[in-house]
Amino acid sequence: MKLFVATHNQHKIREISQILPEFEIVADDPEGVEENAPDFAGNALIKVHAIAERHPGEWCMADDSGLEVKALGGAPGVHSARYAGEPCNTPANNALLLKNLEGKTDRRARFTCCCALVDPSGEEMVVHGHCPGHIAEKASGSEGFGYDPLFIPDGYDKSFADLSADEKNSISHRGRALEKVKAIVGSGEGGKVSNSSNPPLAHSSTLLAWLKLFRVVNLPTVPGDVLVGAASVLCWGADAAISSRYAQVIAAAALASVFLYMFGLVDNDIVGAKGDRGRPIPDGEISIGAARIARGLCLFAALIVGAAANLQSDWWIASFLLAMSVVVYNRTKLSLFMGLCRGLNVLSGAVVVGMCGIELAALALVAPLVWTLYITVVTWYSTGEENDPDKKRRVGLLVGGIVYLQLAALIYLTMKGASVMPLLVTGAVLLVLLRLMRRVLPRVSAS
Ligand code: ITT
């Protein structure tokens, strides 16, 4: 398939052709257009529309890209090509960048690539790709172009200009943006794509970055699974009122479930560290080393809670299987393992109640099984929701329904015994926090 690309930059054309070998890339210089938009998307759209008029009924694309340096407030940014003035002069740009960073210890930066597309019906869309890294003290390497000799991508100790073309393309901002372009053009679903915006570079404080890593807005729903498991046993397994021992073990299992979930979230982001999902590790806000330590601490905290509450072997087995499912899911993305994670969470709530002397009725296994199945199907169905707002809404409703079941479990447990009052209070506080955090930290909820 033909893809017309609006650029005069031969380096870009070479990289785009290497990254998208299945397309016939045809360069078309949008000569004379003024790139005067305040952001990459605006400039990419100006360029692509300049050539789209010349190729009606064809796919057209423009790449507007640049380097954003944190300590320079995002500069050179959209002015990357002409940072040291007109006309574009790469040695002068690089020298100015090094000069402006003299004495600065924070040298974090990222490359951003915005690709604007116009589909054969004239519909426009934009996608972004990022590559986080830092600016070296001096230039090195002879490959690539522009700021490549000064940019060291995260996870590497050499510059882009020291990497082979294949290596650079596999992690670069352009490689990541073009993967999205390939999916859009390949599927022919131009008009249905929701446009992405460029997340601000210098946005997150360290605290916000950690809140984002742990997806705090979603955390309160995790102990709810444990409550459902506990309620399912008490509902079918026995008629006893709840003693304070129940409240204690349920609370411990619920707390441990939060730590295990946090372990899973960090592990997921470590596995996807080279991806581009607007997440704190790929965005360079949290180092991979710090994330690894956090992952170990979360697992350790779950174990400590289990040991301190004297939870018995059934809980340890369920939790071990849960941690295994998390690890497998993060590496395979098989929906069944996501289902197992949540189902085992429910099971851990069921087995702790069993420890208090209540017979675990076979019926009590129904809740974990139903949960596993439901989450498996919803996870499988949610594939591709990022590009389909209707699907995203439907998935939100399906997941939201679970919260009502969790609430029902909480109310049921509360009615079973006065000693469960602390559970009710905890639940109420979590719900209030959930609502508050959705308001105060809307961006944190992106999963
Ligand atoms: P067109 O507008 O014709 O596409 P350009 O070079 O003017 O070509 P931009 O306005 O998008 O393109 O500016 C991009 C600048 O950002 C580029 O000149 C480099 O200085 C820098 N840049 C972008 N991607 C880069 C990469 O992969 N490696 C090094 N520098 C890059």
Side-chain angles (χ1 to χ4, degrees):
M1 185 185 291
K2 259 192 191 151
L3 180 61
F4 291 88
V5 179
T7 184
H8 74 276
N9 184 328
Q10 289 311 311
H11 299 284
K12 281 189 187 176
I13 285 294
R14 199 181 55 227
E15 287 191 2
I16 294 169
S17 306
Q18 284 163 345
I19 299 166
L20 299 177
E22 53 279 82
F23 292 93
E24 184 189 339
I25 304 297
V26 185
D28 185 355
D29 190 344
E31 219 186 336
V33 294
E34 222 180 311
E35 296 179 42
N36 52 9
D39 52 25
F40 295 112
N43 284 332
L45 283 166
I46 290 174
K47 289 191 269 189
V48 75
H49 280 296
I51 68 156
E53 292 166 4
R54 300 200 274 262
H55 310 288
E58 302 278 0
W59 280 94
C60 296
M61 186 188 92
D63 153 328
D64 199 68
S65 42
L67 182 67
E68 298 175 283
V69 181
K70 201 156 185 172
L72 303 178
V78 284
H79 306 295
S80 293
R82 290 153 206 90
Y83 190 37
E86 295 279 2
C88 171
N89 178 339
T90 295
N93 287 342
N94 288 0
L96 181 62
L97 179 63
L98 284 181
K99 181 166 167 287
N100 288 344
L101 279 176
E102 260 169 23
K104 299 247 195 293
T105 47
D106 182 358
R107 300 178 78 89
R108 283 176 292 173
R110 74 174 179 198
F111 264 124
T112 294
C113 173
C114 172
C115 291
L117 284 161
V118 170
D119 75 9
S121 70
E123 197 90 42
E124 65 178 44
M125 64 223 85
V126 292
V127 293
H128 287 85
H130 298 103
C131 181
H134 68 273
I135 304 301
E137 296 285 344
K138 58 181 176 46
S140 119
S142 55
E143 300 291 319
F145 68 104
Y147 298 95
D148 281 349
L150 291 179
F151 182 78
I152 314 229
D154 278 354
Y156 290 76
D157 53 9
K158 357 186 212 184
S159 78
F160 259 175
D162 284 316
L163 301 181
S164 68
D166 280 350
E167 267 179 307
K168 176 184 168 184
N169 293 338
S170 70
I171 55 165
S172 78
H173 49 310
R174 189 161 293 107
R176 286 166 176 168
L178 289 175
E179 274 304 312
K180 298 176 188 171
V181 166
K182 184 155 79 179
I184 295 168
V185 180
S187 70
E189 299 214 320
K192 287 198 191 154
V193 174
S194 38
N195 289 339
S196 74
S197 58
N198 192 24
L201 173 73
H203 58 283
S204 291
S205 66
T206 308
L207 175 66
L208 193 56
W210 283 100
L211 293 178
K212 250 170 46 178
L213 187 71
F214 289 124
R215 299 176 208 204
V216 284
V217 171
N218 300 339
L219 282 186
T221 65
V222 180
D225 286 355
V226 175
L227 299 188
V228 169
S232 71
V233 172
L234 287 162
C235 168
W236 283 311
D239 198 20
I242 301 177
S243 71
S244 62
R245 173 67 182 145
Y246 288 123
Q248 201 190 26
V249 292
I250 295 171
L255 183 61
S257 75
V258 174
F259 285 128
L260 283 173
Y261 188 73
M262 289 163 74
F263 158 79
L265 291 175
V266 184
D267 184 62
N268 178 60
D269 278 22
I270 290 172
V271 173
K274 291 193 175 164
D276 180 39
R277 300 149 53 216
R279 305 285 307 146
I281 302 176
D283 283 356
E285 293 165 358
I286 291 177
S287 74
I288 198 132
R292 285 197 180 114
I293 293 173
R295 177 177 60 181
L297 287 177
C298 290
L299 188 59
F300 186 63
L303 303 185
I304 291 288
V305 171
N310 205 13
L311 300 182
Q312 289 163 4
S313 57
D314 287 352
W315 178 84
W316 288 94
I317 293 169
S319 299
F320 173 75
L321 293 175
L322 170 54
M324 286 294 102
S325 303
V326 163
V327 169
V328 175
Y329 175 73
N330 287 344
R331 282 150 188 84
T332 62
K333 297 293 172 212
L334 288 172
S335 312
L336 172 66
F337 286 93
M338 173 54 95
L340 278 173
C341 292
R342 299 301 290 240
L344 284 162
N345 225 9
V346 175
L347 186 67
S348 76
V351 295
V352 287
V353 176
M355 282 169 211
C356 297
I358 283 186
E359 281 283 302
L360 273 185
L363 271 177
L365 288 177
V366 170
L369 282 175
V370 169
W371 224 248
T372 303
L373 210 68
Y374 186 75
I375 299 288
T376 300
V377 172
V378 173
T379 309
W380 169 79
Y381 173 69
S382 69
T383 316
E385 60 169 344
E386 320 77 46
N387 292 331
D388 185 342
D390 284 341
K391 195 178 207 183
K392 202 169 184 166
R393 220 178 6 259
R394 282 195 292 272
V395 171
L397 284 175
L398 290 171
V399 174
I402 286 175
V403 176
Y404 289 100
L405 281 171
Q406 294 178 334
L407 263 179
L410 183 68
I411 293 166
Y412 175 77
L413 288 173
T414 311
M415 285 163 46
K416 273 298 245 192
S419 60
V420 191
M421 207 54 187
L423 274 181
L424 179 66
V425 174
T426 316
V429 169
L430 286 178
L431 279 176
V432 172
L433 274 180
L434 184 75
R435 293 238 52 94
L436 266 180
M437 285 188 296
R438 277 204 196 282
R439 266 170 208 283
V440 180
L441 303 166
R443 289 188 333 96
V444 174
S445 67
S447 58

